[in-house]
Amino acid sequence: MKQKLVVFTGAGISAESGIKTFRDSGGLWEEFDINEVATPQAWEKNQALVLDFYNKRRKQVLEAQPNNAHTALVELEQKYDVQIITQNIDDLHERAGSKKVLHLHGEITKSRSSIDDSLIYRIKGEEIRLGDKCEKGSQLRPHIVWFGEMVPMMDVANIIAEKADIFIVVGTSMAVYPAAGLIDYSPDGIPKYLIDPSDVNVNGIANLKVIKEKASIGLPKLASELLK
Ligand code: APR
């Protein structure tokens, strides 16, 4: 049986594909106020503004291509049972060819009913518009987990982390919970790696090797080591 390789990814893995991160200098949360675009209150206050914010994010994602880091994770499937748990809302892991991808914070390519969470649709084209409705007649919203909302996939993700034989973290500031707590569910004794060009606060994690490089450099290097 293949060893289970769990990979926890954040905005940094898609940075070199041209998708902005959130908290780096020049990141999205410098330009936009979270409270105005990424909370249920924002949605109640101004649906047009929220839709516009995510329509722009979607356009950017559709124009982007997976980079070397996404591809390295696909190559690891030759030898490992690779399970990606991503905070990203883009579909670059899927487009690179990764088979198992769990999105913790939703998917930009999908819309959802605003009265029934089980009604999820693939968006045709680039936009959700005011007046686009679900089959029950409610306005469609982005299929995104906003600040202040539950993270429905968190329990599933924690169970996957518990079974990891190797755990890799790539391109996340580890600032947003509960997602950032995922690594705490991985077994103590297994090898762990963190790839990020900046210092990330990961105190108290045993067996952690920090690779201080961009994802497109650090991940292919680590992948070729792990594939030996
Ligand atoms: N390669 C690897 N890492 C990079 C690169 C790169 N080329 N460029 C930047 N980074 C790192 C940064 O150093 C930082 O640690 O990516 C991380 C990005 O952190 P954030 O912007 O905070 O993104 P993320 O951790 O994914 O955010 C978590 O916050 O706003 C919410 O829901 C949103 O899922 C998101 C969550």
Side-chain angles (χ1 to χ4, degrees):
M1 249 210 344
K2 286 179 174 174
Q3 280 196 306
K4 281 194 191 306
L5 178 57
V6 176
V7 190
F8 179 51
T9 66
I13 197 169
S14 297
E16 290 162 87
S17 294
I19 300 174
K20 279 188 179 180
T21 64
F22 297 96
R23 294 173 187 79
D24 286 305
S25 113
L28 278 176
W29 297 148
E30 235 172 55
E31 192 180 338
F32 297 93
D33 181 347
I34 289 179
N35 298 307
E36 298 294 326
V37 295
T39 63
Q41 293 75 16
W43 180 245
E44 269 168 40
K45 188 171 146 199
N46 193 340
Q47 296 188 346
L49 183 74
V50 173
L51 289 177
D52 183 58
F53 173 74
Y54 286 103
N55 285 342
K56 289 196 176 117
R57 307 277 75 74
R58 189 173 307 104
K59 191 167 185 302
Q60 223 177 45
V61 166
L62 293 174
E63 285 166 359
Q65 299 301 329
N67 65 53
N68 283 347
H70 299 100
T71 310
L73 294 180
V74 181
E75 282 161 12
L76 281 164
E77 291 185 9
Q78 295 163 21
K79 182 166 164 194
Y80 297 93
D81 176 8
V82 179
Q83 170 75 60
I84 297 170
I85 300 172
T86 187
Q87 298 167 91
N88 298 344
I89 58 176
D90 68 56
D91 60 353
L92 297 184
H93 285 304
E94 288 91 340
R95 279 200 268 143
S98 283
K99 290 201 194 73
K100 295 186 190 171
V101 185
L102 182 75
H103 287 269
L104 286 179
H105 293 161
E107 294 170 75
I108 192 71
T109 51
K110 295 179 180 170
S111 64
R112 185 166 93 220
S113 161
S114 45
I115 54 166
D116 181 344
D117 287 349
S118 70
L119 297 176
I120 298 164
Y121 308 91
R122 180 157 288 278
I123 296 168
K124 296 188 192 87
E126 289 184 352
E127 297 192 338
I128 305 177
R129 297 190 188 86
L130 270 186
D132 288 350
K133 298 205 166 119
C134 78
E135 64 216 62
K136 291 186 175 171
S138 82
Q139 171 67 42
L140 288 174
R141 57 167 276 179
H143 181 45
I144 302 289
V145 177
W146 286 322
F147 287 91
E149 292 188 314
M150 300 281 289
V151 180
M153 290 301 171
M154 203 63 230
D155 290 346
V156 179
N158 290 339
I159 290 167
I160 293 168
E162 280 171 358
K163 295 188 182 132
D165 295 305
I166 302 175
F167 196 97
I168 303 176
V169 179
V170 191
T172 170
S173 61
M174 303 281 260
V176 174
Y177 283 82
L182 185 71
I183 194 166
D184 299 327
Y185 285 80
S186 64
D188 278 344
I190 64 167
K192 291 168 197 170
Y193 302 89
L194 181 139
I195 301 172
D196 199 300
S198 303
D199 291 319
V200 178
N201 185 6
V202 275
N203 289 332
I205 293 168
N207 283 337
L208 182 72
K209 181 171 177 203
V210 177
I211 301 168
K212 207 170 166 182
E213 300 210 63
K214 288 185 171 185
S216 72
I217 305 287
L219 203 44
K221 266 197 221 164
L222 175 60
S224 64
E225 254 178 56
L226 292 173
L227 286 168
K228 266 182 202 155

